[in-house]
Amino acid sequence: MLRWVRQQLGFDPPHQSDTRTIYIANRFPQHGHYVPQKFADNRIISSKYTVWNFVPKNLFEQFRRVANFYFLIIFLVQLMIDTPTSPITSGLPLFFVITVTAIKQGYEDWLRHKADNEVNGAPVYVVRSGGLVKTRSKNIRVGDIVRVAKDETFPVDLVLLSSDRVDGSCHVTTASLDGETNLKTHVAVPETAVLQSVANLDKLVAVIECQQPEADLYRFVGRITVSQQTEEIVRPLGPESLLLRGARLKNTKEIFGVAVYTGMETKMALNYKSKSQKRSAVEKSMNSFLIIYLIILLFEAILSTILKYAWQAEEKWDEPWYNGKTEHERNSSKILRFISDFLAFLVLYNFIIPISLYVTVEMQKFLGSFFIGWDLDLYHKETNQRAQVNTSDLNEELGQVEYVFTDKTGTLTENEMQFRECSINGIKYQEINGKLTPEGFSEDSPDGNRHSLMREEELFLKAVCLCHTVQINADQTDGADGPWHANGIASPLEYYASSPDEKALVEAASRVGVVFTGTSGDSMEVKSLGKPERYKLLHVLEFDPNRRRMSVIVESPSGEKLLFTKGAESSILPRSKSGEIDKTRIHVDEFALKGLRTLCIAYRRFTPEEYQEIGKRLHEARTALQQREERLADVFNFIERDLELLGATGVEDKLQEKVQETIEALRLAGIKVWVLTGDKHETAVSVSLSCGHFHRTMNILELVQHKSDSTCAEQLRQLAKRIKEDHVIQHGLVVDGTSLSLALREHEKLFMEVCKNCSAVLCCRMAPLQKAKVVRLLKTSPEKPITLAIGDGANDVSMIQEAHVGIGIMGKEGRQAVRNSDYAIARFKFLSKLLFVHGHFYYIRIATLVQYFFYKNVCFITPQFLYQFFCLFSQQTLYDSVYLTLYNICFTSLPVLIYSLFEQHVHPHVLQSKPVLYRDISKNAHLGFKPFLYWTILGFFHAFVFFYGSYLLMGEDTSLLGNGQMFGNWTFGTLVFTVMVITVTMKMALETHFWTWINHFVTWGSIVFYFIFSLFYGGIIWPFLHTQDMYFVFVQLLSSGSAWFAIILIVVACLFIDVLKKVLYRHLQPTSTEKAQLTEAGSGINCLDSMCCFSDGETACTSVRRMLERLMGRCSPTRVNSVCKVTEETCI
């Protein structure tokens, strides 16, 4: 019961040890001392709340917000003491905001519960009591043997026991986890692979020891101990044995596996847990403004309290004849009375803090984020991928970016590799018509037209065909001669690979005569010019970013033990002791200068004694449960030494479309671009030049190949001196990973000074954590610039999470970057529209939204403060309590919300064609102290005009009705309120540049609604109201011609100054944006591009967007196309 209560409240029991012991089929030891470990059940819980904790947990989260907590305090004060306004005035708006947010969050959580129930109730088959039992997914326990059939999804994380294949292998696709569509091979240990029936598996006695759950999809450390008769056999378990929940079984009839991680402890569930929350600069500004307004509120309340007691110092005002004190009031403590009066004034003025600001901003961000996904300009037709929004909290941050950190491979390039050149035994080769031709020879020359391969060439190509993780379509591997024609030339095999480099190399080898034809059990089959050869795969030394290489140990047909290794030249050449090392190094540099990606290939022969020693060390390291990675790294380094260099390869990765134009546009927008890549120096520089990151006229500075702090510091000082001397010339900086580590260790300030004076920075040979460190360095510098990181691979995840805004590219290196990003796009070129159009719009919209909210609340409460000077600070309210309650909720809420969703102050095509306009909004220009001060002063000015204008026009002569009846204080307050509602609504209209019928409807509709509501509210005696102060007041007010004259005069007086200021500034000091608006005005552009105006004239697909397009009434494709053409001509 206690455990169930803990689970309902969201607490997970802590694990007691670093490892878990799993008895297969839950056959626990029979001795009485064993206490089974407690494991989570297999229910997936993606929901945030339960029935039991929804109310307390949701309320706790909502009242963590300063404004909500503040209004709760005000509401409680109103309940406890005698205040001038009803508790309803604070309680109802607070209840409305809390309820709307709770309903939204509750509905979203109900949908998650519904999805969870579907997953948890899915049927599965489990081996129990010697047979297959059908049960629900949520009933699977750790230790259960589960059967999964072809094309089914794994319901838990399983260790593979057996499959329908003799070797115990199976193929899976992890597209739903990391986006990789290639088939991955998983293998069972030999002792369990032979158990292919339920009866045999039911007799299995085995124990699995493995690590506790962790989120890393590609890491699993464990071992299985199988009891066979009198002996126990121990086998290592790694990622190749683990089948992840969410992955799908392919090309295999069925498999059996034992559940090791269940429910919320599966790797899929651990990866879905929310990452650290990022906060936008706008949100920080909003909180600062709230504090300033809180100070204004306290100042007004304290001043009013002091003035009240100063006024009451005279006896005639302390107790006037019409307001006599009770005996209790005369005898009460002065301090308590002062506190009570202070709190009463606090309640009276509390609406200066806009409670509905948070909920409006939340709605604006949530609804506004749909426009990115709906924009067909961000849709990539070839891959059928549209832009994706993972968080809507950072929309406006897209308009504030100052630094872009980008990966190279797959982000700037296509990640589609094509083999171009190679170096074998010190000789350069090119592929010409499917043949390897030495450099300088043509196909027609005697040496160029060869039908055989030299020994070195054949060994090199065999190394390429054996040292990889490439797989072949299962349909093509049936039959030994299936993929071959009679002339011995291979028909194309369909290869699958997680690395495009490997695929390009294996395909190139097959074209020149050495073909990888697949695997069979633990053998790899190769055909060299039609002659089949079978190599036994003994060990795979997996690739990792630290070693930067991978290796295989194979047994050749002659029985020889061989190691084949490939990797970066920096990790292969230092470990080579023979071969044409110097010539190959020169060739690698030449390949890199052409922008080719390079790999070096080497091999080593083992004596029987050496191989025995290696096998022993590998087994010990792989069966270790503690520090397995460190032990394996030591063994791998021991094995991969004394290599004989075979050669190097050069593979081309084409640039993506419009990369150069996008980088140039970012530069014009004032955004600095840093390229962070793992490629070698020469390759990275070549690609930077070709993509426009570096200009040919740019002075390239280098900080590379430094081994000590002293040389690195000296070079940095020299670079800083050169930059000062050549201040006119643009500079580009190239820095490598080792030099960067030295620079960041003790010379961080000097390094940052050099970087900030460079137009472009290129960091090569970067490890993933170094990328994140560079981003953090810029992010935390004194200027606190807004950073954006964009990448496509798992090695970019740390950088993407570190930056203020992280963007994932939907590339060919899986979906890890996309899953961990804030936004995802299909191509780098889409970044320009994302920033220059969507980012620009979002920032302008929310900046105006936030400041307008503060402005209209200053207008609202300041007359209340001024009124106290005319009522002896008696805390008499100027407005009726219903008006106090509905001002922010009904009368002024919709125009600003619609503005914040649809406003386009400049046409999207103009923004994209003129990136320089992005500079106008940089560095939080519209939410700085000056704009905030302007809006605040404007609010106070308008409030003074409302109050004193009404007072001067109607305060002195109160008998303005034809029958001589006088106006009262409620009529005066209603007049001020009426003028205020019209003025603040008209002010929003003045700020609107892009008008649709929706804007017209909510703007004029809000004013009409106010009049209709006031007529009904004041025209009927409402029985549930304890006072009828407003009865017939509004009707009486509107029946006076003088009142109408006053309303019109005051509204015009308020807005005239604002209009005059706008006109003068536009003519005398226009910004680039205002100049663009003037240019645009002549072209007659008027289309809501982010919703319905696309380059090809298509309309969006979703039903919601179609509804909005019909509502807008402006989406005729013919008209859109003609308008877009006019715009482009105007922009040029």
Side-chain angles (χ1 to χ4, degrees):
M1 181 65 186
L2 180 62
R3 186 164 178 254
W4 180 83
V5 171
R6 285 172 62 85
Q7 286 180 343
Q8 295 303 312
L9 293 175
F11 298 108
D12 292 324
H15 296 299
Q16 301 300 317
S17 64
D18 293 333
T19 61
R20 57 171 50 188
T21 304
I22 299 156
Y23 291 86
I24 294 179
N26 291 304
R27 289 192 179 88
F28 300 116
Q30 296 303 310
H31 59 77
H33 302 294
Y34 177 73
V35 179
Q37 288 179 279
K38 298 288 185 183
F39 301 119
D41 58 30
N42 197 39
R43 288 182 304 142
I44 283 290
I45 305 171
S46 62
S47 55
K48 194 175 183 180
Y49 308 106
T50 66
V51 174
W52 309 100
N53 70 12
F54 175 73
V55 173
K57 195 172 182 180
N58 187 265
L59 288 177
F60 173 73
E61 288 176 350
Q62 292 207 55
F63 285 118
R64 286 170 67 186
R65 285 182 165 172
V66 177
N68 289 351
F69 183 72
Y70 161 77
F71 269 88
L72 177 65
I73 297 298
I74 293 294
F75 176 64
L76 294 175
V77 167
Q78 287 179 292
L79 289 175
M80 289 187 291
I81 67 170
D82 182 23
T83 56
T85 57
S86 165
I88 296 173
T89 58
S90 293
L92 191 61
L94 178 65
F95 177 77
F96 173 77
V97 169
I98 296 295
T99 304
V100 167
T101 308
I103 289 171
K104 172 182 169 288
Q105 294 177 350
Y107 175 70
E108 290 173 349
D109 208 59
W110 176 76
L111 292 178
R112 288 192 284 266
H113 272 284
K114 192 177 176 184
D116 290 345
N117 291 336
E118 286 181 17
V119 172
N120 295 331
V124 293
Y125 287 92
V126 178
V127 176
R128 285 181 188 159
S129 305
L132 273 179
V133 177
K134 186 177 181 179
T135 183
R136 294 180 181 273
S137 174
K138 64 182 179 182
N139 298 327
I140 297 175
R141 300 168 299 173
V142 171
D144 281 346
I145 299 174
V146 182
R147 192 205 77 168
V148 180
K150 183 180 179 182
D151 291 327
E152 289 183 352
T153 301
F154 300 118
V156 289
D157 287 352
L158 301 165
V159 165
L160 180 61
L161 294 178
S162 65
S163 72
D164 63 323
R165 300 182 180 183
V166 179
D167 59 357
S169 66
C170 71
H171 296 294
V172 304
T173 175
T174 57
S176 61
L177 295 173
D178 58 12
E180 294 184 11
T181 55
N182 59 293
L183 297 179
K184 295 183 174 69
T185 303
H186 292 259
V187 185
V189 297
E191 285 71 24
T192 62
V194 295
L195 308 175
Q196 294 180 308
S197 66
V198 174
N200 289 335
L201 284 166
D202 194 51
K203 298 173 185 174
L204 174 64
V205 179
V207 179
I208 292 175
E209 295 172 274
C210 62
Q211 62 188 151
Q212 293 290 6
E214 64 169 34
D216 190 342
L217 294 174
Y218 308 106
R219 185 174 183 270
F220 177 68
V221 177
R223 66 185 175 206
I224 183 170
T225 305
V226 182
S227 300
Q228 290 187 344
Q229 297 171 352
T230 57
E231 65 172 334
E232 291 186 343
I233 300 170
V234 180
R235 295 285 186 185
L237 297 174
E240 72 284 348
S241 305
L242 188 68
L243 304 171
L244 300 178
R245 177 173 191 148
R248 191 178 293 273
L249 184 65
K250 291 286 187 183
N251 291 3
T252 311
K253 186 179 177 183
E254 66 176 11
I255 64 98
F256 290 94
V258 59
V260 288
Y261 303 131
T262 50
M264 297 309 294
E265 293 183 337
T266 58
K267 289 183 180 287
M268 181 188 75
L270 293 173
N271 272 277
Y272 287 161
K273 286 187 177 177
S274 59
K275 50 186 182 290
S276 60
Q277 190 71 23
K278 294 180 180 179
R279 293 175 65 215
S280 69
V282 169
E283 189 179 341
K284 293 170 187 173
S285 298
M286 201 163 72
N287 290 338
S288 302
F289 297 161
L290 272 174
I291 292 169
I292 292 171
Y293 271 69
L294 194 60
I295 292 169
I296 293 173
L297 168 65
L298 292 172
F299 171 75
E300 288 184 348
I302 292 169
L303 180 64
S304 298
T305 310
I306 292 171
L307 288 174
K308 176 181 179 177
Y309 282 91
W311 201 295
Q312 291 178 352
E314 294 184 49
E315 191 172 336
K316 63 175 181 178
W317 296 120
D318 182 37
E319 193 175 347
W321 61 269
Y322 55 83
N323 192 17
K325 291 183 180 178
T326 63
E327 193 65 31
H328 175 73
E329 286 176 330
R330 289 193 186 97
N331 297 330
S332 62
S333 166
K334 288 186 177 180
I335 295 173
L336 288 176
R337 273 190 293 159
F338 185 90
I339 294 171
S340 176
D341 284 327
F342 167 72
L343 291 174
F345 280 117
L346 204 65
V347 168
L348 192 65
Y349 305 146
N350 78 83
F351 282 95
I352 197 170
I353 306 294
I355 186 173
S356 53
L357 173 61
Y358 280 112
V359 74
T360 308
V361 167
E362 198 169 296
M363 288 173 66
Q364 188 269 344
K365 288 185 174 184
F366 174 71
L367 296 173
S369 64
F370 286 105
F371 295 152
I372 291 177
W374 290 345
D375 191 345
L376 292 184
D377 283 342
L378 302 181
Y379 170 72
H380 192 241
K381 193 173 182 180
E382 288 78 5
T383 56
N384 191 30
Q385 290 170 329
R386 61 175 67 242
Q388 181 179 315
V389 179
N390 296 329
T391 175
S392 59
D393 293 336
L394 303 171
N395 292 343
E396 65 278 3
E397 208 81 329
L398 293 169
Q400 294 296 295
V401 175
E402 295 172 62
Y403 283 86
V404 168
F405 298 91
T406 175
D407 179 38
K408 181 183 75 66
T409 305
T411 305
L412 300 178
T413 61
E414 288 283 3
N415 207 9
E416 285 184 1
M417 309 301 176
Q418 291 182 334
F419 175 80
R420 292 298 180 209
E421 296 182 65
C422 66
S423 171
I424 304 174
N425 200 31
I427 301 171
K428 276 207 290 187
Y429 291 82
Q430 292 178 328
E431 183 191 352
I432 300 177
N433 294 332
K435 294 174 185 174
L436 271 185
T437 306
E439 189 179 47
F441 292 91
S442 66
E443 191 184 1
D444 301 327
S445 62
D447 289 338
N449 192 16
R450 297 176 300 161
H451 295 282
S452 62
L453 294 169
M454 295 171 61
R455 177 188 167 277
E456 294 85 357
E457 296 169 355
E458 188 175 5
L459 187 59
F460 175 86
L461 293 171
K462 284 178 181 177
V464 167
C465 286
L466 293 170
C467 186
H468 57 73
T469 57
V470 175
Q471 292 166 14
I472 299 175
N473 189 336
D475 297 334
Q476 292 185 301
T477 58
D478 298 333
D481 299 320
W484 290 82
H485 296 305
N487 59 2
I489 305 298
S491 64
L493 283 165
E494 189 177 357
Y495 292 112
Y496 296 99
S498 54
S499 166
D501 298 75
E502 287 189 336
K503 183 181 177 186
L505 291 174
V506 172
E507 285 176 341
S510 70
R511 289 194 298 270
V512 297
V514 180
V515 184
F516 169 63
T517 57
T519 57
S520 176
D522 59 355
S523 298
M524 301 181 76
E525 297 174 359
V526 173
K527 284 192 176 181
S528 179
L529 294 176
K531 179 185 174 185
E533 294 181 7
R534 178 169 291 192
Y535 289 80
K536 186 178 181 182
L537 181 62
L538 302 173
H539 297 285
V540 177
L541 281 55
E542 297 83 2
F543 174 86
D544 68 66
N546 297 321
R547 283 169 46 244
R548 299 181 67 82
R549 59 184 180 272
M550 80 158 286
S551 303
V552 293
I553 300 176
V554 296
E555 184 180 324
S556 69
S558 62
E560 210 174 7
K561 305 293 192 300
L562 300 172
L563 169 80
F564 289 113
T565 304
K566 72 174 180 191
E569 93 289 343
S570 59
S571 65
I572 299 293
L573 295 182
R575 296 181 163 271
S576 301
K577 70 170 186 178
S578 59
E580 296 290 346
I581 298 173
D582 294 332
K583 287 183 180 179
T584 304
R585 183 179 279 114
I586 293 169
H587 291 165
V588 166
D589 292 340
E590 289 175 1
F591 294 162
L593 286 171
K594 295 176 184 177
L596 303 181
R597 291 166 61 85
T598 58
L599 285 173
C600 286
I601 295 173
Y603 84 112
R604 177 185 175 186
R605 299 176 193 274
F606 293 121
T607 63
E609 294 77 16
E610 286 175 331
Y611 177 73
Q612 192 173 359
E613 171 71 11
I614 285 167
K616 181 183 175 184
R617 288 195 177 201
L618 275 173
H619 182 74
E620 289 175 355
R622 281 183 165 150
T623 53
L625 285 179
Q626 304 297 328
Q627 298 180 323
R628 181 181 289 187
E629 285 84 356
E630 292 83 352
R631 293 188 183 187
L632 280 173
D634 292 339
V635 176
F636 289 173
N637 287 328
F638 172 75
I639 297 170
E640 296 165 332
R641 61 191 176 92
D642 299 334
L643 303 174
E644 184 175 338
L645 187 64
L646 290 172
T649 60
V651 176
E652 182 184 30
D653 189 5
K654 292 193 300 182
L655 280 176
Q656 286 187 19
E657 185 187 3
K658 292 188 178 179
V659 165
Q660 192 164 356
E661 293 90 332
T662 305
I663 290 177
E664 185 58 33
L666 292 172
R667 190 176 284 117
L668 288 172
I671 299 171
K672 290 190 175 182
V673 180
W674 288 35
V675 176
L676 312 180
T677 178
D679 279 347
K680 73 189 302 286
H681 173 203
E682 292 82 3
T683 305
V685 170
S686 176
V687 172
S688 280
L689 286 166
S690 63
C691 72
H693 179 236
F694 283 166
H695 287 301
R696 298 286 174 186
T697 56
M698 195 178 278
N699 185 19
I700 307 296
L701 309 175
E702 292 189 349
L703 183 68
V704 294
Q705 295 180 348
H706 289 284
K707 305 294 183 190
S708 66
D709 278 337
S710 56
T711 58
C712 183
E714 180 59 32
Q715 180 68 9
L716 277 171
R717 281 188 283 269
Q718 288 181 9
L719 293 178
K721 186 180 177 183
R722 282 183 63 184
I723 290 171
K724 286 179 182 176
E725 291 172 354
D726 304 333
H727 55 88
V728 180
I729 304 172
Q730 279 193 330
H731 298 281
L733 177 67
V734 183
V735 57
D736 64 7
T738 53
S739 302
L740 181 72
S741 298
L742 295 171
L744 297 183
R745 193 181 301 165
E746 293 182 10
H747 315 291
E748 194 175 286
K749 193 173 179 182
L750 184 58
F751 176 70
M752 284 303 302
E753 183 186 335
V754 171
C755 288
K756 286 178 181 177
N757 288 314
C758 291
S759 304
V761 177
L762 169 65
C763 301
C764 54
R765 286 289 184 233
M766 296 283 285
L769 288 177
Q770 281 184 311
K771 292 183 178 184
K773 200 169 183 180
V774 169
V775 175
R776 193 182 310 121
L777 183 68
L778 261 294
K779 192 170 123 180
T780 56
S781 62
E783 293 82 7
K784 299 283 189 295
I786 303 298
T787 57
L788 179 148
I790 179 168
D792 73 317
N795 61 332
D796 302 315
V797 169
S798 54
M799 169 177 80
I800 286 170
Q801 289 181 334
E802 184 64 46
H804 291 96
V805 182
I807 296 184
I809 295 284
M810 302 170 189
K812 297 180 176 64
E813 289 192 19
R815 287 293 186 274
Q816 280 186 289
V818 171
R819 285 192 295 110
N820 288 278
S821 65
D822 304 307
Y823 303 89
I825 52 179
R827 287 293 181 269
F828 183 79
K829 66 178 180 179
F830 295 150
L831 186 63
S832 60
K833 183 161 190 187
L834 193 64
L835 298 185
F836 302 153
V837 178
H838 291 286
H840 200 119
F841 283 156
Y842 285 135
Y843 177 73
I844 291 293
R845 290 165 183 169
I846 203 163
T848 306
L849 167 81
V850 169
Q851 300 194 104
Y852 176 78
F853 252 94
F854 285 109
Y855 152 79
K856 72 186 180 76
N857 279 45
V858 168
C859 291
F860 183 36
I861 288 304
T862 305
Q864 186 88 275
F865 172 69
L866 296 174
Y867 185 60
Q868 298 307 303
F869 287 88
F870 293 83
C871 66
L872 296 184
F873 295 94
S874 61
Q875 298 153 9
Q876 168 66 35
T877 178
L878 179 62
Y879 314 120
D880 182 72
S881 59
V882 172
Y883 286 159
L884 279 171
T885 305
L886 298 182
Y887 176 75
N888 278 316
I889 295 176
C890 296
F891 300 146
T892 61
S893 58
L894 275 180
V896 67
L897 178 61
I898 296 301
Y899 169 93
S900 66
L901 290 174
F902 297 148
E903 172 62 4
Q904 293 187 18
H905 62 301
V906 181
H907 193 272
H909 287 276
V910 177
L911 286 177
Q912 198 162 2
S913 62
K914 294 183 178 179
V916 71
L917 298 180
Y918 194 82
R919 294 173 184 254
D920 282 357
I921 62 167
S922 63
K923 298 187 184 298
N924 208 12
H926 289 253
L927 266 179
F929 184 70
K930 283 186 178 179
F932 168 71
L933 192 63
Y934 164 73
W935 279 91
T936 303
I937 291 172
L938 185 68
F940 279 114
F941 168 73
H942 283 180
F944 272 79
V945 175
F946 300 154
F947 185 82
Y948 286 109
S950 301
Y951 179 75
L952 290 172
L953 290 171
M954 304 190 68
E956 295 299 324
D957 184 7
T958 55
S959 59
L960 291 175
L961 295 176
N963 60 3
Q965 193 174 348
M966 294 172 63
F967 275 3
N969 66 310
W970 291 116
T971 311
F972 176 74
T974 304
L975 175 63
V976 173
F977 192 84
T978 303
V979 170
M980 177 173 58
V981 169
I982 295 171
T983 304
V984 298
T985 306
M986 292 296 292
K987 171 61 180 170
M988 190 75 262
L990 282 176
E991 294 299 316
T992 304
H993 294 88
F994 181 79
W995 283 88
T996 67
W997 75 263
I998 297 180
N999 294 79
H1000 285 291
F1001 178 77
V1002 298
T1003 301
W1004 316 121
S1006 293
I1007 296 173
V1008 171
F1009 171 75
Y1010 164 70
F1011 277 87
I1012 293 173
F1013 173 84
S1014 297
L1015 287 170
F1016 269 94
Y1017 173 56
I1020 300 172
I1021 295 177
W1022 300 96
F1024 54 83
L1025 294 177
H1026 65 280
T1027 62
Q1028 302 292 333
D1029 295 329
M1030 295 300 293
Y1031 179 67
F1032 232 65
V1033 167
F1034 198 72
V1035 176
Q1036 187 186 56
L1037 178 69
L1038 295 186
S1039 65
S1040 168
S1042 302
W1044 281 103
F1045 173 75
I1047 290 169
I1048 294 168
L1049 188 63
I1050 294 169
V1051 170
V1052 171
C1054 283
L1055 298 177
F1056 177 75
I1057 302 296
D1058 201 37
V1059 172
L1060 187 65
K1061 177 250 178 190
K1062 284 180 178 290
V1063 171
L1064 289 175
Y1065 266 81
R1066 277 178 174 271
H1067 283 83
L1068 300 177
Q1069 290 182 337
T1071 62
S1072 303
T1073 303
E1074 288 166 345
K1075 289 176 183 176
Q1077 287 171 344
L1078 291 171
T1079 307
E1080 177 191 326
S1083 64
I1085 296 167
N1086 198 5
C1087 173
L1088 189 58
D1089 184 83
S1090 62
M1091 289 181 62
C1092 59
C1093 176
F1094 302 107
S1095 56
D1096 54 2
E1098 295 180 40
T1099 54
C1101 304
T1102 63
S1103 57
V1104 178
R1105 185 159 74 262
R1106 281 179 182 148
M1107 180 191 72
L1108 284 169
E1109 288 168 0
R1110 286 196 293 271
L1111 286 173
M1112 301 306 296
R1114 296 176 179 272
C1115 293
S1116 164
T1118 310
R1119 181 179 180 279
V1120 166
N1121 279 340
S1122 62
V1123 167
C1124 293
K1125 288 175 184 174
V1126 170
T1127 310
E1128 287 169 5
E1129 291 168 7
T1130 308
C1131 296
I1132 290 172

